[in-house]
Amino acid sequence: MNSNETTAFIEKLQSIVGKKHTLTDPARTLFYRQGARFGKGDALAVVLPGTLVEQWHVLKACVEADVIVITQSANTGLTGGSTPDGNDYDRPIVIVSTRRLDGINVIENGEQVVCLPGSTLFRLEKELKKYKRGPHSVIGSSCIGASVMGGVCNNSGGALIQHGPAYTQMAVFAQLDAQGKLQLVNHLGIELGNDPDTILQNLQNHNYSDKDIQLDAGLGHDHDYCDHVRQIDADTPARYNADPARHYEASGSAGRLMVFAVRLDTFPLEENTAVFYIGTNNTNELDDIRRHILGQFKNLPVSGEYIHRDAFDIAAVYGKHLFLAIQKLGTDTIPKMYALKNFVDRIMSKIPCFSGSFSDKFAVTVCKLWPNHLPKSLRDYRDRYAHHLILKMSDEGIAEAEAFLKSYFDNSSTAEKRDGSYFRCNNKEAEAAMLHRFAVAGAATVYRNVHTKTVEDLVALDIALRRNDKDWFETLPESISQHFIYKLYYGHFFCSVFHQDYIAKKGTDCSKVEEEMLAILDQRGAQYPAEHNVGHLYHANEDLKKFYHELDPTNSFNPGIGKTSKKKYWQ
């Protein structure tokens, strides 16, 4: 594309969405071109359409100009999958940000929702509370503004055991066929019209009634997961991104389509819940508990979150500001605070004596002056035990869990003396335990940002272990372990999904070490990534490559993810 063609193309984009929403200045596009944790590259423009019709016309203009399109929702992903990666693409890149395209329509008496590309999990959770129902995911990525669409397109998991990975068979999306012809596909199960502009306008304006909605249009979540996760002797993981059983058009598409709407099931909120805090120094005991609850309980847990002592400690310091922000100000303020953080860091990075991580350093320093935020009961368990499990049960499952845990840890009634113990949390302890687990997820990144002189980078793995793997806690060889300052282990224990963040010493070749670690995981029969998708960090396996190729035969949508070809027609 020569300079005249580029100018004409940019002017066309401006005519569709306006100059204000067509960004070309590298300083203004950086936020969209750089991933939350990984990934960065150039882009010809970042376009922010204000309507679905504008989004469609932007896409048509991009196809006519033969440019790469990366559709971006909230850019909160951890593997760089919604940004460019480097500058070795064979065509210019346009990032289409859907941040302005917020829209949630509750249908079927609250049992389902239709979500537009800019809809956030946070807003969806608030909207569904009016119906005493909840979305697929709750506190977690929702607090930093993650999108509903991003979850579906990445088959994201989440802490809630009974819901399974985000999945739907009902969506409206645009696709390029092998001849490069663009088409809009309405598989939403809602009659919206016949031509793209009419379909998208009716969709945006909720211009449809109950009679237009098809009840049996497809699945709105993975109905089989509750049975699937109970198969504790299976030699395969319960869930992982590349599982072909959960790939269907938009679901798992990872930007290989441009998705305009998804239709999802919602879930009834629990009437009563209780949190049990379990500690032990014997990993076999936690495995016993997992296997018994999944194999024998009538009621599945709501969630079961694991934290290792080292992760507990790092989060107590480097996740404290997030813990306090949610506790004192509520989750409503968190998306705004992250936006403010990004703004402050961009401004401060222009000042020579400050780095781009100014806000993290400031927050950690200030919070050290704040009294200890964790209840004494949690701190005592931290001192006594290396392994922690936060078990949340609901309704009839509460009594079931209490009876089992009391019997299991009653050393007078068993021949084998138990190492661990448990307690039932009061409201304050339950809130603190769940918030601390959430704070763990971002603590390693904050540590890295604060200690730039001693930390090379993070090696962050997102793995799914075999359901019958009793040796679930990792022991690394010294040849690898020596490269790390800290190894932080936490995850969704009952799904055998673990997040493992390794803080690498300065000078470490992180890519080389990561490849060595992935080889060990291959030997263990693990799958990775489990729920953050391949992005630009992981190799897509053959099943995933095949799925991407079927969705995008010209390789024009988000090419290069999964370390695949960035060239047109997959050359």
Side-chain angles (χ1 to χ4, degrees), residues 363-435:
V364 169
T365 301
V366 170
C367 284
K368 285 181 179 178
L369 304 175
W370 195 277
N372 200 308
H373 59 299
L374 296 174
K376 186 176 183 298
S377 54
L378 270 64
R379 288 183 277 125
D380 286 346
Y381 263 51
R382 179 264 166 224
D383 293 339
R384 293 168 60 188
Y385 303 116
H387 306 282
H388 301 232
L389 179 62
I390 306 165
L391 175 64
K392 186 175 183 179
M393 302 295 299
S394 65
D395 304 327
E396 295 178 359
I398 297 172
E400 195 173 17
E402 187 131 46
F404 166 66
L405 292 174
K406 182 178 180 181
S407 172
Y408 184 80
F409 286 112
D410 184 357
N411 285 321
S412 64
S413 64
T414 179
E416 181 182 354
K417 184 175 176 61
R418 301 298 185 198
D419 176 84
S421 59
Y422 81 100
F423 65 91
R424 179 170 171 172
C425 296
N426 59 32
N427 290 340
K428 182 179 179 181
E429 291 165 336
E431 178 195 46
M434 301 304 286
L435 282 179

Side-chain angles (χ1 to χ4, degrees), residues 306-485:
Y306 169 77
I307 308 176
H308 183 263
R309 177 188 280 155
D310 290 344
F312 186 108
D313 290 347
I314 294 296
V317 177
Y318 298 93
K320 186 175 181 179
H321 57 292
L322 184 56
F323 181 109
L324 292 173
I326 297 175
Q327 185 185 61
K328 304 300 181 183
L329 303 176
T331 55
D332 289 30
T333 62
I334 301 304
K336 295 177 182 178
M337 289 182 64
Y338 268 93
L340 177 61
K341 165 184 162 57
N342 291 330
F343 174 76
V344 169
D345 284 343
R346 287 200 303 273
I347 297 300
M348 297 304 289
S349 66
K350 298 176 182 178
I351 302 174
C353 59
F354 292 108
S355 70
S357 55
F358 170 83
S359 60
D360 284 331
K361 293 178 179 178
F362 178 79
V364 169
T365 301
V366 170
C367 284
K368 285 181 179 178
L369 304 175
W370 195 277
N372 200 308
H373 59 299
L374 296 174
K376 186 176 183 298
S377 54
L378 270 64
R379 288 183 277 125
D380 286 346
Y381 263 51
R382 179 264 166 224
D383 293 339
R384 293 168 60 188
Y385 303 116
H387 306 282
H388 301 232
L389 179 62
I390 306 165
L391 175 64
K392 186 175 183 179
M393 302 295 299
S394 65
D395 304 327
E396 295 178 359
I398 297 172
E400 195 173 17
E402 187 131 46
F404 166 66
L405 292 174
K406 182 178 180 181
S407 172
Y408 184 80
F409 286 112
D410 184 357
N411 285 321
S412 64
S413 64
T414 179
E416 181 182 354
K417 184 175 176 61
R418 301 298 185 198
D419 176 84
S421 59
Y422 81 100
F423 65 91
R424 179 170 171 172
C425 296
N426 59 32
N427 290 340
K428 182 179 179 181
E429 291 165 336
E431 178 195 46
M434 301 304 286
L435 282 179
H436 192 54
R437 163 61 185 89
F438 174 59
V440 167
T445 302
V446 176
Y447 185 99
R448 176 194 65 181
N449 294 344
V450 170
H451 298 281
T452 54
K453 292 182 179 180
T454 57
V455 176
E456 180 67 30
D457 205 347
L458 296 183
V459 176
L461 300 183
D462 164 31
I463 68 169
L465 298 180
R466 293 176 292 113
R467 283 166 282 175
N468 63 353
D469 189 347
K470 295 186 177 182
D471 297 324
W472 54 270
F473 188 70
E474 178 181 71
T475 301
L476 286 174
E478 180 59 25
S479 60
I480 294 177
S481 187
Q482 65 175 337
H483 295 292
F484 303 129
I485 303 170

Side-chain angles (χ1 to χ4, degrees), residues 49 64 91 200 234 257 271-272 283 337 400 406 415 431 433 451 477 519 543 571:
E64 290 170 5
R91 291 151 290 168
L200 296 174
L257 304 169
E271 292 186 12
N272 300 292
T283 58
M337 289 182 64
E400 195 173 17
K406 182 178 180 181
E431 178 195 46
H451 298 281
D543 286 330
Q571 295 176 22

Side-chain angles (χ1 to χ4, degrees), residues 175-176 257 543 545-553 570:
Q175 184 174 30
L176 280 172
L257 304 169
D543 286 330
K545 289 179 185 176
K546 180 181 178 183
F547 180 57
Y548 288 163
H549 200 286
E550 290 172 349
L551 294 180
D552 183 19
W570 300 83

